[in-house]
Amino acid sequence: MGHGKQIRILLLNEMEKLEKTLFRLEQGFELQFRLGPTLQGKTVTVHTNYPYPGETFNREKFRSLEWENPSEREDDSDKYCKLNLQQAGSFQYYFLRGNEKSGGGYIVVDPVLRVGTDNHVLPLDCVTLQTFLAKCLGPLDEWESRLRVAKESGYNMIHFTPLQTLGQSRSCYSLADQLELNPDFSRPNKKCTWDDVGQLVEKLKKEWNVLCITDVVYNHTAANSKWIQKHPESAYNLVNSPHLKPAWVLDRALWHLSCDVAEGKYKEKGVPALIENDHQMNCIRKIVWEDIFPKIQLWEFFQVDVSKAVEQFRGLLTQGNRKITKPDPKEHLKIIQDPEYRRLGCTVDMNIALATFIPNDSGPAAIDECCNWFQKRIEELNSEKHQLINCHQEQAVNCLLGNVFYERLAGHGPKLGPVTRRHPLVTRYFTFPFEEMTLSTEESMIHLPNKACFLMAHNGWVMGDDPLRNFAEPGSDVYLRRELICWGDSVKLRYGNKPEDCPYLWAHMKKYTEITATYFQGVRLDNCHSTPLHVAEYMLDAARKLQPNLYIVAELFTGSEDLDNVFVTRLGISSLIREAMSAHNSHEEGRLVYRYGGEPVGSFVQPCLRPLMPAIAHALFMDITHDNECPIVHRSAYDALPSSMIVSMACCASGSTKGYDELVPHQISVVSEERFYTKWNPGASPSDTGDVNLQSGIIAARRAINKLHQELGAKGFIQVYVDQVDEDIVAVTRHSPSIHQSVVAVSRTAFKNPKTSFYSKEVPQMCIPGKIEEVVLEARTIERNTKPYKRDENSINGMPDITAEIREHIQLNESKIVKQAGIATKGPNEYIQEIEFENLSPGSVIVFRVSLDPHAQVAVGILRNHLTQFSPHFKSGSLSADSSDPILKIPFASIASKLTLAELNQILYRCESEEQEDGGGCYNIPNWSSLKYAGLQGLMSVLAEMRPKNDLGHPFCDNLRSGDWMIDYVSNRLISRSGTIAEVGRWLQAMFFYLKQIPRYLIPCYFDAVLIGAYTTLLDTAWKQMSSFVQNGSTFVKHLSLGSVQLCGVGKYASLPLLSPSLMDVPYRLNEITKEKEQCCATLAAGLPHFSSGIFRCWGRDTFIALRGILLITGRYLEARNIILAFAGTLRHGLIPNLLGEGTYARYNCRDAVWWWLQCIQDYCKVVPNGLDILKCPVSRMYPTDDSVPLSAGTVDQPLFEVIQEAMQRHMQGIQFRERNAGPQIDRNMKDEGFNITVGVDEETGFVYGGNRFNCGTWMDKMGESDRARNRGIPATPRDGSAVEIVGLSKSAIRWLLELSKKNIFPYHEVTVKRDGKVVTVSYDEWNRKIQDNFEKLFYVSEDPSDFNEKNPNLVHKRGIYKDSYGASSPWCDYQLRPNFTIAMVVAPELFTTEKAWKALQVAEKKLLGPLGMKTLDPDDMVYCGVYDNALDNDNYNLAKGFNYHQGPEWLWLIGYFLRAKLYFSKLMGPETNAKTIFLVKNVLSRHYVHLERSPWKGLPELTNENGQYCPFSCETQAWSISSVLETLYDL
């Protein structure tokens, strides 16, 4: 939780394109890019156009970021590159893998808005905006008196529609000149300038604390703009866009039709000037189809002139010496569109024609026939075009009639009346600045460039169109199909792809943008969804140069969040306008409040360093925009107050439009409204039409609502809960997670007029948890006795007869809306106020300020106070308390610092079976499952999954809210133990004492905060007790090393045989029952949950394969020593037991454990300071002879070096015995012969050999168990003979003893054995040499088929590998490709020739390497099967009862040996190979990192099924898996 700086982590994954994902950040945040698993170990460079500090932003200029690796260590898990975000805007990043682009996206950094003389910050969630139509403000010197209404109503941002000179239509958005201030703002004697506007804006900002934004309109200009006549190339005209010619011809034909209808020429045909019914509509359809389309023949623009084409074709056929370039045979004849769009101007490719229609001979008859075929094909193609145009015409007629219906017949339409030239049948799509003439004369102009350039396309919008496609460009038929809802007063602007395509237009609009950014703090992107993205990017870059914290708002009607995000991320839009008017009922309005901001009440506290999560765009939520229909018409006047309250309670920016608060009962039209807004006048009466004050409309209520909105945003009320009380009543709660105060606004909407619709008098009772401090506001919409509304000629006036009666900051008992409030209790410390309403009439709101009840408020303050030791986040709202439990006065870190790693094992981990030994178990969550561990990790694994998603509905949270069971379980489990563990339990209990006193809905969040604080402190305590490799290691190393704490612990019963009493530093404890001192050495569980307790916890082989990684590398030398010596005490027959069984139930049925034990002694001596001292440590022999009864510790003590020598001697002598108690009591599957154990050393080769075909003495020890498949008692992998890893391990031990004996550290130079009654000595030197000389000769499968060393060439099926064994009873088993040879490579690399070793490793990589583990058998082998199912019993000999345990499934521990072998030999292969290998290793290990992080067990499994699939029969966390990955990282 720690430090206060907010850091977000963005994980990069290969080929991940996140252009449609929105990542929002704030200035002051640090963004870290880290490598996801697919990229770890690869050369990745991150590039961004975020500028260097102090440089200006250039969208095209990218720089690469430097990687930082805090641990400077082995892997890429912590490697990151970062940006310190100090600049607002949209920034792009992408990353290369090598030289290839592999992914990328955008980040958006929010602007910081400032107001006032002191320049204080205005948070985005505090914005309350009001829109003004600039033309209704009157002359500039009167603005202040009109804008004061916004200030007095509590708004802090004003949005002006464009202030430029307007076009002929007087629409606010049709601008005649983008650079000139509207002359209407000047007086005859005083011309206003942009500077005058700027001074006013600055005054509003400094003195009123109000910011100003205005629109930028990039898509169109007024049709009468003078500059567009000088620069017609800036529009889509018939010269630069000839594809629009057919649409233009249709448009003119419809205009002429319209004029004829207006003049009554079509009356006889059933179409009078006044269109009133469907019959007349059908007549229009008939006229268009029968008169217009046949006359204008639009299809000709898309067709070929048949006779001309046939003539040309004939000419080419008869031309003798013609050259045909052979076309592509897949190319068929098709029409090539005439780029100039002339009638019948299209062509076909004559080359294709000549290659398609070939005459039989050169005679005239053959040529004629050929031309006829060609003509027929052209006519077919023309006919296809005719059909296509027919489809377009059908759509055009439908759109035309839809338009007529809306404008003249529809109830909700404008009802334009008779067709006239001013109100034609349909809006024109193109400008026509010439005298009228006949249609045919007009058409001749389209091919005259000096005329055609002035025939320009109007702008508009297309329903359901793809906003990323420009509908005026070639390829779009919108104008021809009449799909455009057209704005006849404006011309669509044509930018092209870059400034060079239309220099004047880009420069003109850039200047316009710069004027706007100079004088205003923000812009609204008008019609953003149809603004070309590259244009908006260019313009906004220019604006941000002048106004770095530019606030950009936009409305997008793309219909898809993904598409919205494209605009938001590319343009860096700060807030998207969202409309409350889109809600059709109060339920939907409430849903929008929840959707547009805030987190759920009671959310988890997120750490400062956390993943960057995709966001939804910040909202500017408006109760009404200037484009919306009037809510008084659409809903009712009574709804204005409750809907504005609901909108204002959203945790985002909020806004409204001038006229809403005054209850203007009609839409204020952006086109036709010419009256002025009312002025502020405190003394005006309600019936005054030109002035307003707090008595007017809902202004007084709006002021209180805006004030509240700003307070909630500023004070961090970021949690939101929306409750739909009934169909009209919405209650919105905003909650502060630091002071735990809530504000609850209850609004009764009036979507239907209460005077004409039924509303029930009965209002449901409401329950509000906590203590109501005050009623912040209550307001009701009421009628008052004044003259009714009459539209004023000069001022935009509202309804004088309706207003809001408001009261602020009163006590509950003074309320006129609340009848009574009772207090109920829910549980011991949760108060609930039951509110009964009496006057919550439609159009009323009441807002309560609610605190926790005082008792809970104190408890939460004390909790926060104690949590500040873990994070400064909890300082706000904390209370220091003297009366708390004395244990809480001690910092938790100092309690934790006294814990040993064995105690941490009990606090953090312990699976079900370990816990059951102590009489407990893991906590079970009802309706879900049990936790994986009884310790804190069990809870943390679930919380880590829930926290980022705020999954408060999880059964885990339900359980916490329902009762204290889990809370008590956590503390009581520890208190019942002794010492420091109990102290940790008591500390938790003392914290939980306060936790239990807070409302239940807050318990999950604070339970998590307490646990995460304790947990992270405990992890730090663990790492502090480990080696410097761990302490300075990466996150991956640290988390892996926790496997040492997880798997190494002390149980209730001693699992290890007792160590010699004369040995120093042995841990002891007091037995709780006998009260006597007893040894309590930590033991290593082979894996959880299956090998964790009882006699199945400790195994010789597993312990010593895992010991180096789990104990030595982590610095736990004492535990390692004790385990080595305890096992040494059980040596019998020269072997170390497989199953330890506390020594008394040991089974000596494995040939490899003794060699792993010797390898660990060697590792111990090398890793531990003064490690060689272990050789002299006393070993208490349990079985000094093979047949002695188990002796108690201290009876026979021997130094370790003697025990080692005995093991070596016994092997050279040869070992033969039958297991004790042989039979079903020790192994219910083994056949009788399997209990006979044989081990020896081959005199010729020095190889250790042993076993028979009925037992399995190596790690691949699966014994058949199925009667049905007839494999019971047969080992799947006997690996008898000399197993490759045992030969390698024995070579390692012999070499090491030889080195020590040369230095006289080990007193023996040889082994002495009896052969045929004679004493024979074999020196270590000789034994070492024998193995060295014979290993490659006998184990390497040569790539040369005639190699004389190969005794069984017929069994070879892979060459260039090392055999798995030598001398197996089934010779073909020797030749199976398995990964065991990599073990020998790591422990005895001297046995291998570098080149041969490298080739063998390449084969293993290709055939055996899986995502997490190594396939245990070559997939090409006939018995390979990669899926292990121990429960399956069928007739399949190779599969039944998991017989294929080691015949394909991918075991993790071997991947460590494979990677370590690759690392070792790659260094010998040269620097380039070594670098590639390091990449491979990092990349493979990144998958283990991901598994470790995601696993609720926080470990690595024993095995996976093929290709890394989950295996349900595997241990979830296995000692040797974790160990071998740690060893690899150590080697890195």
Side-chain angles (χ1 to χ4, degrees), residues 186 241 253 977 1276 1284 1320 1497:
S186 301
S241 306
R977 294 164 200 248
V1284 66
V1320 179
W1497 291 86

Side-chain angles (χ1 to χ4, degrees), residues 687-790:
S687 54
D688 286 1
T689 52
D691 296 330
V692 291
N693 55 28
L694 290 173
Q695 273 68 58
S696 316
I698 62 163
I699 289 179
R702 169 69 79 180
R703 179 183 188 153
I705 288 171
N706 279 342
K707 203 166 104 192
L708 180 64
H709 179 83
Q710 291 168 37
E711 181 202 330
L712 296 177
K715 293 194 176 162
F717 283 71
I718 55 172
Q719 300 187 338
V720 181
Y721 171 65
V722 180
D723 181 15
Q724 188 74 31
V725 182
D726 73 4
E727 62 176 328
D728 305 307
I729 300 175
V730 179
V732 184
T733 301
R734 290 275 296 272
H735 181 83
S736 156
S738 53
I739 57 172
H740 292 297
Q741 199 181 70
S742 299
V743 169
V744 183
V746 183
S747 309
R748 189 168 192 195
T749 58
F751 274 54
K752 303 187 295 292
N753 188 343
K755 294 176 122 177
T756 56
S757 302
F758 171 73
Y759 281 87
S760 165
K761 289 266 187 296
E762 297 299 310
V763 173
Q765 199 185 42
M766 255 193 87
C767 293
I768 295 182
K771 173 171 176 273
I772 293 177
E773 300 283 348
E774 64 162 354
V775 173
V776 180
L777 162 73
E778 63 175 31
R780 295 173 60 225
T781 310
I782 54 165
E783 286 193 31
R784 68 173 153 206
N785 198 6
T786 54
K787 307 202 292 279
Y789 170 78
K790 178 168 178 286

Side-chain angles (χ1 to χ4, degrees), residues 551-745:
Y551 181 54
I552 300 177
V553 298
E555 47 184 356
L556 286 173
F557 299 108
T558 66
S560 128
E561 199 169 291
D562 268 1
L563 268 178
D564 280 0
N565 284 348
V566 171
F567 285 88
V568 175
T569 56
R570 294 257 313 255
L571 305 180
I573 294 171
S574 321
S575 305
L576 277 189
I577 296 168
R578 305 292 195 178
E579 302 179 357
M581 289 298 287
S582 68
H584 47 278
N585 59 23
S586 68
H587 181 77
E588 176 63 10
E589 201 160 73
R591 192 191 69 78
L592 295 177
V593 170
Y594 188 71
R595 175 89 181 102
Y596 294 138
E599 52 181 42
V601 174
S603 288
F604 293 109
V605 176
Q606 302 295 346
C608 300
L609 172 82
R610 61 178 185 268
L612 181 59
M613 303 298 274
I616 68 162
H618 184 257
L620 167 57
F621 192 23
M622 299 191 65
D623 45 35
I624 173 184
T625 70
H626 58 283
D627 292 326
N628 290 149
E629 295 174 42
C630 171
I632 295 177
V633 176
H634 207 65
R635 296 177 181 175
S636 79
Y638 285 80
D639 191 60
L641 171 62
S643 275
S644 64
M645 182 80 245
I646 291 171
V647 167
S648 190
M649 286 298 284
C651 187
C652 58
S654 74
S656 188
T657 293
K658 176 77 172 145
Y660 181 97
D661 300 345
E662 293 87 347
L663 301 178
V664 173
H666 57 83
Q667 184 178 6
I668 301 174
S669 164
V670 292
V671 180
S672 58
E673 186 60 80
E674 293 292 341
R675 296 173 299 159
F676 292 161
Y677 289 122
T678 48
K679 294 182 177 178
W680 183 257
N681 176 359
S685 79
S687 54
D688 286 1
T689 52
D691 296 330
V692 291
N693 55 28
L694 290 173
Q695 273 68 58
S696 316
I698 62 163
I699 289 179
R702 169 69 79 180
R703 179 183 188 153
I705 288 171
N706 279 342
K707 203 166 104 192
L708 180 64
H709 179 83
Q710 291 168 37
E711 181 202 330
L712 296 177
K715 293 194 176 162
F717 283 71
I718 55 172
Q719 300 187 338
V720 181
Y721 171 65
V722 180
D723 181 15
Q724 188 74 31
V725 182
D726 73 4
E727 62 176 328
D728 305 307
I729 300 175
V730 179
V732 184
T733 301
R734 290 275 296 272
H735 181 83
S736 156
S738 53
I739 57 172
H740 292 297
Q741 199 181 70
S742 299
V743 169
V744 183

Side-chain angles (χ1 to χ4, degrees), residues 924-1117:
N924 177 275
I925 292 168
N927 307 323
W928 197 57
S929 67
S930 289
L931 298 177
K932 303 297 183 217
Y933 293 110
L936 297 188
Q937 183 62 63
L939 302 145
M940 293 315 292
S941 291
V942 186
L943 285 164
E945 190 65 23
M946 297 180 332
R947 192 182 309 111
K949 299 193 289 239
N950 246 332
D951 186 0
L952 295 166
H954 194 287
F956 185 99
C957 294
D958 286 343
N959 186 254
L960 279 170
R961 286 189 293 261
S962 307
D964 297 334
W965 314 289
M966 192 190 310
I967 299 171
D968 290 338
Y969 168 86
V970 172
S971 54
N972 293 348
R973 175 181 168 267
L974 300 178
I975 291 170
S976 67
R977 294 164 200 248
S978 54
T980 315
I981 297 182
E983 210 178 324
V984 172
R986 285 197 297 279
W987 182 88
L988 285 168
Q989 187 182 48
M991 288 292 275
F992 293 160
F993 169 75
Y994 296 107
L995 182 71
K996 292 173 183 179
Q997 296 174 41
I998 68 176
R1000 298 309 304 187
Y1001 68 90
L1002 291 176
I1003 283 183
C1005 143
Y1006 280 100
F1007 180 70
D1008 175 54
V1010 171
L1011 285 197
I1012 200 170
Y1015 173 77
T1016 47
T1017 308
L1018 293 167
L1019 295 194
D1020 286 337
T1021 306
W1023 292 321
K1024 279 182 186 140
Q1025 296 181 47
M1026 292 190 190
S1027 61
S1028 61
F1029 168 70
V1030 172
Q1031 289 184 28
N1032 306 325
S1034 64
T1035 309
F1036 186 18
V1037 166
K1038 286 184 161 158
H1039 287 191
L1040 266 180
S1041 69
L1042 292 172
S1044 170
V1045 184
Q1046 185 188 91
L1047 293 154
C1048 189
V1050 180
K1052 189 164 185 178
Y1053 310 107
S1055 303
L1056 281 185
L1058 297 182
L1059 295 165
S1060 164
S1062 60
L1063 187 64
M1064 306 294 284
D1065 301 329
V1066 178
Y1068 283 88
R1069 67 179 174 199
L1070 215 59
N1071 186 306
E1072 286 170 24
I1073 301 155
T1074 63
K1075 299 293 177 213
E1076 284 175 12
K1077 207 166 85 150
E1078 62 180 17
Q1079 282 186 20
C1080 57
C1081 290
T1083 54
L1084 201 47
L1088 310 181
H1090 308 313
F1091 304 116
S1092 58
S1093 60
I1095 67 164
F1096 290 109
R1097 179 177 171 89
C1098 291
W1099 300 75
R1101 173 191 301 127
D1102 295 69
T1103 296
F1104 293 113
I1105 290 177
L1107 188 120
R1108 177 173 182 258
I1110 295 276
L1111 296 179
L1112 293 179
I1113 284 178
T1114 57
R1116 301 185 66 179
Y1117 305 142

Side-chain angles (χ1 to χ4, degrees), residues 254 281 285 392-406 425-426 429 478 480-485:
L254 293 174
M281 297 278 283
R285 185 185 293 274
H392 291 336
Q393 290 180 158
E394 261 175 47
Q395 174 69 349
V397 174
N398 290 338
C399 291
L400 171 120
L401 292 172
N403 209 336
V404 173
F405 176 79
Y406 171 72
L425 198 58
V426 281
Y429 273 11
V478 161
L480 180 58
R481 292 162 64 86
R482 306 290 301 182
E483 289 169 333
L484 185 72
I485 294 154

Side-chain angles (χ1 to χ4, degrees), residues 223 248 251-252 428-433 454-458 491:
W248 183 87
D251 191 54
R252 292 308 296 163
R428 289 197 278 183
Y429 273 11
F430 293 89
T431 60
F432 188 76
F454 296 110
L455 307 174
M456 304 175 190
H458 288 306
V491 168

Side-chain angles (χ1 to χ4, degrees), residues 231 233-235 494-496 498-507:
H231 292 279
E233 77 281 0
S234 302
R494 180 176 184 267
Y495 288 89
K498 53 192 180 302
E500 296 77 52
D501 293 346
C502 192
Y504 179 83
L505 177 61
W506 287 76

